[in-house]
Every structure is written in C-alpha cells, then in structure tokens.
C-alpha cells in the first residue's frame, strides 16, 4: 500500500471508530435524544433547587444552620456531577445551544469551573463561617451564569 493511501485508510478507520464509539455511547445511555434532554433538565432542576435554597441563608433572610448548609453543599457536589452525561453526542435540543457540540473543550472548561466552585463552596461550609459561605456561593452563581450566557438559549 502506498504511504498516502495507508494514511487515508488509517484516518478513515480512526474516524469510523470514533463515530461508532460516540454512537454507542449515546445509544447505550439514552434511547432517544429527547431522553438526554429530559435527563439533563432534571439534573439541572435538582442543582437549581439545592443551590437556590442556600440563597435566603446567604442573604440573611433565613437562619444560618452551619450543619444543614454543610449537608446541602455536600449533596450539591454530587448533583454537580450529574448533568454532563446528558450532553451526549447527537443530543442537541431543549434550551442547549448547538454550539455546545461544536465547542466541546470550552463547554468542558465551564463544567469544570462550576464543579470547582461547588467544591470550594463545600469546603467553605466546613468552616462554619457565613462570610466564607457567602463568598463561595457567589463564585458558584457566577459559574452558572457564565455557562448560561454562553450556551443556554432563551
Ligand atoms: C440560581 C439558578 C441559576 C443561577 C444563576 C446564577 O440560583 O437557578 O440558574 O443561580 O442565576 O447567575
């Protein structure tokens, strides 16, 4: 086989394998793209609910129960891991911008930023100091907003 033909065959094989892998992943996890949309929306609903219930506490509108906040932020760390599998290949839809599937690296960076900020919030809540929780809460909110601004369609 000539060198150029070999290179062409190799890259076609690599492409076919990666398409198969992507297809297999989407197929094994979700039967239909709409199932992935529902899954990620459900995950974000839970994230929003558990993050949102901290808002009155950091605003001083509800009492600061340090132990309760610590349990809540530990749970948020688990929840923050969930939505991303729902953005499997070929599952464009819902309010998600199609750019997500074209800018996988940037989207992943925003996921990592959010998860990192949630980790900081969980750490801060272990201090038992409302001021630290408030600052870290702001960091999480900013990370939510950064991704919504870039990738959530209205
Ligand atoms: C929330 C929530 C969001 C974020 C975002 C932060 O509580 O439901 O989507 O914070 O508003 O800017």
């Amino acid at each position: 086989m000539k060198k150029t033909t070999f290179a062409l065959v190799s890259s076609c094989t690599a492409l076919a394998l990666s398409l198969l892998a992507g297809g297999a992943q989407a197929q094994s996890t979700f039967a239909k793209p709409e199932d992935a949309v529902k899954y990620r929306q459900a995950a974000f609903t839970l994230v929003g609910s558990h993050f949102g219930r901290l808002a009155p506490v950091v605003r001083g509108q509800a009492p600061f129960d340090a132990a309760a906040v610590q349990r809540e932020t530990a749970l948020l760390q688990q929840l923050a891991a969930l939505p991303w599998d729902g953005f499997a290949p070929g599952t464009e839809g819902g309010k998600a911008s199609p750019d997500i599937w074209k800018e996988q690296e940037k989207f992943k960076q925003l996921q990592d930023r959010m998860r990192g900020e949630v980790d900081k919030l969980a750490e801060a809540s272990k201090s038992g100091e409302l001021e630290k929780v408030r600052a870290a809460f702001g960091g999480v909110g900013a990370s939510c907003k950064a991704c919504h601004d870039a990738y959530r369609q209205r």
Side-chain angles (χ1 to χ4, degrees):
M1 210 185 300
K2 275 200 315 198
K3 231 179 182 173
T4 46
T5 315
F6 179 75
L8 188 64
V9 170
S10 304
S11 57
C12 286
T13 307
L15 179 66
L17 285 175
S18 65
L19 286 174
L20 269 177
Q25 192 196 340
Q27 217 159 24
S28 65
T29 314
F30 303 104
K32 311 187 287 293
E34 307 89 84
D35 293 345
V37 175
K38 271 191 240 165
Y39 175 89
R40 64 201 187 219
Q41 288 179 346
F44 283 127
T45 296
L46 290 175
V47 169
S49 170
H50 287 274
F51 182 60
R53 64 188 71 179
L54 295 172
V57 177
V58 302
R59 290 188 197 126
Q61 296 159 347
F64 176 52
D65 176 343
V69 168
Q70 208 175 307
R71 283 195 301 275
E72 201 58 60
T73 59
L75 179 56
L76 259 179
Q77 282 182 294
Q78 305 299 312
L79 296 177
L82 291 181
W84 320 116
D85 278 357
F87 292 90
T91 62
E92 286 88 340
K95 291 185 196 169
S97 163
D99 291 347
I100 287 171
W101 288 267
K102 295 178 201 141
E103 301 171 4
Q104 289 282 286
E105 208 167 303
K106 187 180 162 198
F107 184 58
K108 178 70 166 67
Q109 280 170 10
L110 288 164
Q111 292 171 30
D112 292 345
R113 173 176 163 188
M114 181 268 215
R115 295 186 65 182
E117 295 295 338
V118 170
D119 288 343
K120 284 191 218 163
L121 176 60
E123 265 319 299
S125 74
K126 289 182 194 159
S127 72
E129 292 173 46
L130 181 56
E131 270 315 308
K132 288 189 179 164
V133 172
R134 186 178 287 130
F137 179 90
V140 174
S143 74
C144 299
K145 186 174 187 305
C147 198
H148 293 162
D149 288 351
Y151 292 124
R152 182 172 66 177
Q153 295 176 332
R154 269 150 261 271

